């Protein structure tokens, strides 16, 4: 199983990652970036992420990192 980390300082709130996640595990957060835009957050309470890394590949700001659980 995998999960992702999102660097909110790098996230510019383009939301491209939300559309890429096949499991719809990335949501708009209440937290904002330095421009006042709501950044994204990873929500996976049922450990559904299978590590496709489509979100990380699509992120133009390299704000998403995939981590493997061992």
């Amino acid at each position: 199983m995998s999960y992702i980390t999102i660097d909110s300082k790098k996230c510019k709130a383009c939301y491209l990652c939300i559309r890429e996640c096949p499991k719809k595990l990335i949501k708009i957060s209440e937290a904002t970036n330095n421009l006042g835009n709501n950044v994204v957050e990873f929500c996976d309470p049922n450990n559904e992420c299978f590590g496709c890394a489509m979100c990380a590949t699509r992120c133009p700001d390299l704000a998403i990192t995939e981590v493997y659980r061992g």
Side-chain angles (χ1 to χ4, degrees):
M1 298 307 267
S2 298
Y3 67 95
I4 62 168
T5 59
I6 301 170
D7 185 342
S8 60
K9 292 178 184 171
K10 290 182 179 180
C11 179
K12 67 177 180 187
C14 67
Y15 307 134
L16 294 173
C17 57
I18 293 174
R19 288 178 262 173
E20 287 298 321
C21 182
K23 297 284 189 173
K24 305 297 180 209
L25 301 175
I26 303 173
K27 313 283 184 211
I28 298 174
S29 172
E30 295 293 320
T32 58
N33 62 14
N34 59 352
L35 298 174
N37 299 319
N38 291 79
V39 296
V40 296
E41 65 182 349
F42 180 59
C43 302
D44 189 13
N46 299 320
N47 297 318
E48 296 178 62
C49 180
F50 54 87
C52 70
M54 293 299 293
C55 58
T57 303
R58 188 67 175 108
C59 180
D61 300 306
L62 306 174
I64 301 174
T65 305
E66 181 182 17
V67 180
Y68 291 100
R69 296 178 207 193

